[in-house]
Amino acid sequence: MPELVVTALLAPSRLTLKLLRAFMWSLVFSAALVAAAVYGCIALTHVLCRPRRGCCGRPRRTPPACLNDPTLGEHCFLTLKSSGVHLHYVSAGRGNGPLMLFLHGFPENWFSWRYQIREFQSHFHVVAVDLRGYGSSDAPSDMDCYTIDLLMADIQDVILGLGYSKCILVAHDWGALLAWNFSIYYPSLVERMVVVSAAPMSVYQDYSMRHISQFFRSNYVFLFQLPWLPEKLLSMSDFQILKTTLTHRKRGIPHLTPNELEAFLYDFSQPGGLTGPLNYYRNLFRNFPLEPQELATRTLLLWGEKDPYLEQGLVGAISSRFVPGRLEAHILPGVGHWIPQSNAEEMHQYMWTFLQDLLN
């Protein structure tokens, strides 16, 4: 068929897709402006209630001692083959078994896996990374350095760069979004997967289109589409919005100590410390609309019944995309979003059972 005819036949579909994307972006930025107004009021209230803290975040001069706890393992750096980016990671239990690779979420870092590092280093080589843009890892300022494709290449480079051909991938929040995608495009590198509090992007997209209430739970995502303003709002009153997110009585991490809170705030308080993590969100809608994808990697999914950011209905939506018999899902009663830290023992029990045959 002549190329001109093919182009003519595809023109209506291409135009429709362009119009759909334009409509989507108009909605996203409208929602972003509304979210900016709401979060602006919240940040201003924090400043007025705590005037001594001022409008800017206080840069921390030294990291808290818990970030250098020798019982959590050895601090190392790896230069990634694909990009030359230097990633920081904490390693423990090398030689004790298969690679167990941990991917954290926002607003966290490798330290969010402290309980799992201690629990599993006796039978696995546990590695908790600071994802690109976080902690001591390189943090390019360009938004285009945080596309899903580049972030998945980082995971591949970590696995191969550590000398392994596959891993057990354990991930939470944003790390779990990457893990879902990674298991689809690099299935040979993932032996098992443990996912906590996150849905595949295509599942989240389709579910949110049918359940508008999920958009309201994830309202901060729209704020983060804007340039520079989110960084300013999150840092006001010495990062009070982040502090509230992590320590709130109902929605935060239970029993988080001041020292542990500082372990997360330390790197965000450094110049440009928030831009890299927020650039993950700024690339979130880049490939919209997403096609449904079949999920086949053997996966343990843990979900909090009281997760304030994600509805329970997403678990059923995830299950519907799986090859039968490949997903084991558990909804934890009365539990929120931060399962690796708030319900570590319960998570460990599910993981040991799920991985038992690998140990044998």
Side-chain angles (χ1 to χ4, degrees):
M1 188 179 294
E3 184 178 345
L4 185 61
V5 176
V6 174
T7 302
L9 291 173
L10 291 176
S13 297
R14 288 171 174 167
L15 178 60
T16 300
L17 184 58
K18 286 182 179 179
L19 290 173
L20 179 61
R21 284 179 172 165
F23 178 67
M24 183 273 296
W25 278 112
S26 67
L27 291 179
V28 167
F29 281 108
S30 297
L33 294 176
V34 174
V38 172
Y39 279 92
C41 291
I42 293 172
L44 183 59
T45 300
H46 289 317
V47 171
L48 294 176
C49 291
R50 304 170 181 85
R52 292 184 179 180
R53 293 185 182 177
C55 293
C56 300
R58 172 179 56 85
R60 275 62 174 167
R61 296 180 181 233
T62 56
C66 59
L67 283 179
N68 295 310
D69 184 346
T71 67
L72 291 175
E74 180 184 4
H75 291 259
C76 309
F77 286 86
L78 181 67
T79 301
L80 303 184
K81 181 179 179 181
S82 300
S83 61
V85 166
H86 293 77
L87 280 196
H88 168 254
Y89 66 94
V90 172
S91 169
R94 177 178 282 277
N96 291 345
L99 173 64
M100 182 179 284
L101 181 62
F102 294 94
L103 308 177
H104 64 80
F106 176 84
E108 299 172 287
N109 54 30
W110 73 268
F111 186 71
S112 62
W113 299 110
R114 58 197 178 281
Y115 299 112
Q116 289 71 42
I117 291 172
R118 290 192 176 103
E119 178 73 13
F120 293 100
Q121 63 178 295
S122 60
H123 289 77
F124 298 91
H125 178 199
V126 294
V127 172
V129 300
D130 275 334
L131 292 170
R132 175 191 296 229
Y134 284 84
S136 299
S137 294
D138 284 353
S141 58
D142 191 344
M143 186 179 78
D144 291 337
C145 293
Y146 297 88
T147 63
I148 297 299
D149 289 344
L150 289 176
L151 296 171
M152 286 195 298
D154 287 355
I155 300 171
Q156 178 191 32
D157 286 345
V158 168
I159 296 169
L160 300 180
L162 291 172
Y164 293 88
S165 59
K166 57 186 175 180
C167 74
I168 298 155
L169 200 54
V170 185
H172 173 248
D173 191 76
W174 244 109
L177 289 181
L178 300 178
W180 284 120
N181 260 43
F182 190 78
S183 71
I184 294 168
Y185 293 103
Y186 299 88
S188 64
L189 296 180
V190 185
E191 186 166 13
R192 297 283 175 87
M193 194 160 66
V194 179
V195 172
V196 187
S197 307
M201 294 181 185
S202 61
V203 173
Y204 180 86
Q205 167 196 276
D206 295 346
Y207 181 88
S208 299
M209 292 296 182
R210 299 191 306 271
H211 302 84
I212 195 67
S213 55
Q214 178 56 56
F215 278 125
F216 288 100
R217 286 182 179 240
S218 305
N219 56 75
Y220 56 90
V221 171
F222 300 104
L223 169 68
F224 294 167
Q225 301 308 306
L226 299 173
W228 67 264
L229 182 61
E231 285 93 329
K232 180 63 177 176
L233 295 179
L234 292 183
S235 64
M236 289 175 69
S237 192
D238 197 33
F239 304 96
Q240 185 57 45
I241 289 179
L242 290 182
K243 289 179 179 178
T244 301
T245 299
L246 294 169
T247 63
H248 190 274
R249 185 173 60 86
K250 292 183 178 180
R251 300 190 301 271
I253 304 169
H255 313 300
L256 190 71
T257 68
N259 204 35
E260 290 169 339
L261 174 61
E262 286 299 312
F264 298 122
L265 295 180
Y266 171 74
D267 290 301
F268 295 135
S269 76
Q270 306 308 309
L274 283 166
T275 298
L278 293 178
N279 279 340
Y280 282 62
Y281 290 93
R282 290 171 178 140
N283 281 287
L284 198 54
F285 297 101
R286 178 181 286 241
N287 297 318
F288 178 89
L290 300 169
E291 292 294 324
Q293 295 162 312
E294 185 178 66
L295 304 169
T297 300
R298 282 197 62 184
T299 301
L300 170 65
L301 175 64
L302 300 178
W303 205 271
E305 179 195 22
K306 300 294 185 181
D307 193 318
Y309 309 111
L310 300 166
E311 293 187 355
Q312 278 190 58
L314 282 163
V315 176
I318 295 168
S319 300
S320 69
R321 298 281 180 87
F322 255 92
V323 171
R326 306 295 285 178
L327 175 68
E328 178 185 331
H330 299 277
I331 298 176
L332 280 56
V335 175
H337 183 71
W338 314 95
I339 292 172
Q341 298 179 74
S342 65
N343 295 77
E345 290 186 9
E346 197 170 354
M347 177 178 174
H348 298 162
Q349 290 173 5
Y350 282 120
M351 287 180 63
W352 281 122
T353 302
F354 179 65
L355 301 171
Q356 188 62 48
D357 59 310
L358 296 182
L359 300 175
N360 293 337

